[in-house]
Amino acid sequence: MWVICAKLFTFWYYINMKKRLLSGIQPSGTIHIGNYFGAIKQFVDLQDTYESFIFIADLHAITTIQNKDILSKNILNVAMDYLACGLDPKKVCLFKQSDIPEVAELAWYFNCITTMPYLERATAYKDANMKAKEVNVGLFDYPILMAADILIHDADVVPVGSDQKQHVEYARDTAIKFNNAFGQTFKLPEVLILKEVAIVPGIDGRKMSKSYGNTIPLFGTDDQIRKTVMSIVTDSKKPSEPKDPETCNIFAIHKLFLKNEDLENLRKRYTNGGLGYKESKDMLYEEIVSFIKPMREKREYYEKNIEEVKKILNSGGERARNNIQNKMKIIRDNVGVNI
Ligand code: TRP
């Protein structure tokens, strides 16, 4: 009887145990609707399925931001952005990377088993080098710090954009190398590529991206949003002429905000003629503003209650740091520095 109960309990525990998710976000300036639909929304959707740890990668940011005012402002801004977009601190442990100094210690152990040519193969490093920038050692070592982030938490899954896939592979390689050198210590994390649910087009029709300067800011003022919407590039058809919705940059963005029936009605108005681009832009402006209204209000709340944001980050940091103490003991034991 007891044996059966124990077995049932183990089974129940097993199916109820959530897998652990971990990801880092770079604190790098204002976010736009492309970031939201391309990544943040999916991130927020995952928080119910996994035991989630999300951190602001401030140590990584120092490889490019070397100004204390900008860095600390960016850290708080990105925290407020994600909280406003729906990241729930009751479900997710949200913290600053720098609140776990052990990550830098672990990166050092990893550095000692990593070779230079291996890091020279990283695409991010090759890109930076090609741009003839002086690459700092921190940037060169970026994948190793990231491996430490991931492995210190025994993460099962790491959701990232496809540009970060190689970095998660570096983390897996590093786990294997460490296990071979010092004995079984780390499990191998799986990458979870955030599929771009929609390729979010920018105001010029190319993919929305800060580097193209074609973004619509997510938390912009009404004026900023109106200005960018009004500058969406179109052809010069008159309002009365029928238009092709599938080649229209305004329509492409409508698709993110309108549901089936409303979208179909708009599609008809395009093909029938009689809808001017100006009117379509006015409609889009209203859609965007009403969509982001609740998020904007939440963000304004956090801006006024910045101490609450700091508290969320601090308690997240404490929880995350407590969580990794056992792991660090095992790591130090296996390396041989614990005597
Ligand atoms: N490199 C990631 C980015 O630029 C941020 C990051 C740092 C990260 N450490 C991580 C992501 C660990 C996932 C896991 O987006």
Side-chain angles (χ1 to χ4, degrees):
M1 181 65 190
W2 277 114
V3 178
I4 294 173
C5 280
K7 276 197 173 153
L8 275 176
F9 177 76
T10 318
F11 181 64
W12 173 85
Y13 185 75
Y14 181 75
I15 57 172
N16 279 287
M17 210 168 52
K18 282 186 177 170
K19 285 199 169 175
R20 183 170 295 174
L21 171 153
L22 174 118
S23 196
I25 39 186
Q26 280 267 16
S28 54
T30 39
I31 54 171
H32 53 74
I33 64 171
N35 297 135
Y36 179 77
F37 287 100
I40 302 174
K41 182 178 180 301
Q42 304 175 65
F43 233 49
V44 171
D45 291 344
L46 288 168
Q47 66 186 346
D48 290 315
T49 319
Y50 293 95
E51 181 198 13
S52 299
F53 290 82
I54 308 277
F55 65 90
I56 298 166
D58 54 355
L59 295 179
H60 276 115
I62 305 170
T63 60
T64 50
I65 304 175
Q66 287 140 13
N67 174 308
K68 75 171 188 174
D69 295 330
I70 297 178
L71 184 64
S72 44
K73 206 173 93 210
N74 281 7
I75 293 171
L76 286 171
N77 271 333
V78 79
M80 288 190 286
D81 287 340
Y82 274 71
L83 289 168
C85 286
L87 212 69
D88 181 350
K90 286 195 209 78
K91 294 179 185 164
V92 172
C93 180
L94 180 67
F95 61 101
K96 275 190 304 146
Q97 182 183 30
S98 58
D99 280 342
I100 311 191
E102 287 85 351
V103 156
E105 177 188 343
L106 180 57
W108 179 257
Y109 301 143
F110 289 163
N111 276 336
C112 297
I113 55 168
T114 303
T115 67
M116 305 265 293
Y118 175 74
L119 284 181
E120 279 161 7
R121 288 200 292 275
T123 0
Y125 165 72
K126 281 198 276 193
D127 285 353
N129 220 12
M130 282 239 294
K131 286 183 193 145
K133 272 195 275 177
E134 282 266 340
V135 174
N136 61 50
V137 177
L139 192 66
F140 182 61
D141 203 29
Y142 191 110
I144 294 304
L145 184 61
M146 189 159 154
D149 290 328
I150 297 170
L151 299 175
I152 204 169
H153 287 282
D154 274 329
D156 295 299
V157 291
V158 184
V160 284
S162 49
D163 62 320
Q164 295 293 316
K165 185 166 179 252
Q166 191 191 35
H167 284 153
V168 181
E169 281 158 11
Y170 268 61
R172 289 172 62 93
D173 285 355
T174 304
I176 294 170
K177 250 184 252 169
F178 188 100
N179 290 346
N180 284 338
F182 297 109
Q184 181 60 38
T185 311
F186 296 109
K187 65 161 104 165
L188 302 189
E190 299 288 338
V191 66
L192 183 81
I193 296 297
L194 296 173
K195 278 195 247 66
E196 300 222 358
V197 246
I199 293 284
V200 182
I203 58 173
D204 58 359
R206 290 187 290 175
K207 183 182 166 177
M208 189 177 288
S209 159
K210 221 186 281 174
S211 53
Y212 293 149
N214 63 357
T215 61
I216 303 177
L218 188 66
F219 292 116
T221 60
D222 289 356
D223 263 1
Q224 281 169 331
I225 294 173
R226 178 174 283 283
K227 226 186 248 158
T228 40
V229 168
M230 291 308 150
S231 56
I232 296 177
V233 180
T234 63
D235 57 33
S236 50
K237 286 201 178 78
K238 295 196 189 70
S240 56
E241 287 179 70
K243 299 172 185 67
D244 179 6
E246 293 314 324
T247 57
C248 173
N249 293 330
I250 317 166
F251 192 81
I253 306 177
H254 273 297
K255 279 185 183 169
L256 301 170
F257 297 95
L258 287 183
K259 295 213 184 73
N260 311 343
E261 201 185 319
D262 292 334
L263 190 67
E264 283 322 302
N265 287 340
L266 184 67
R267 192 190 299 276
K268 271 186 215 135
R269 293 196 60 199
Y270 261 79
T271 47
N272 289 346
L275 173 81
Y277 289 128
K278 169 74 172 52
E279 190 186 343
S280 181
K281 286 179 180 178
D282 284 337
M283 288 167 67
L284 180 63
Y285 167 76
E286 294 298 335
E287 285 158 29
I288 296 178
V289 167
S290 69
F291 179 83
I292 63 175
K293 190 165 178 264
M295 296 200 276
R296 193 193 267 170
E297 283 170 359
K298 223 169 166 185
R299 199 175 190 296
E300 279 161 9
Y301 167 83
Y302 283 119
E303 274 164 35
K304 285 196 202 104
N305 295 278
I306 202 78
E307 289 308 313
E308 195 175 320
V309 180
K310 291 183 187 173
K311 234 196 212 151
I312 291 172
L313 289 179
N314 285 342
S315 68
E318 240 169 67
R319 211 184 113 202
R321 193 172 184 202
N322 278 340
N323 250 336
I324 55 96
Q325 292 310 316
N326 261 346
K327 189 81 199 174
M328 274 320 288
K329 184 178 175 311
I330 297 170
I331 294 165
R332 292 181 188 123
D333 277 348
N334 289 355
V335 171
V337 290
N338 262 352
I339 51 162

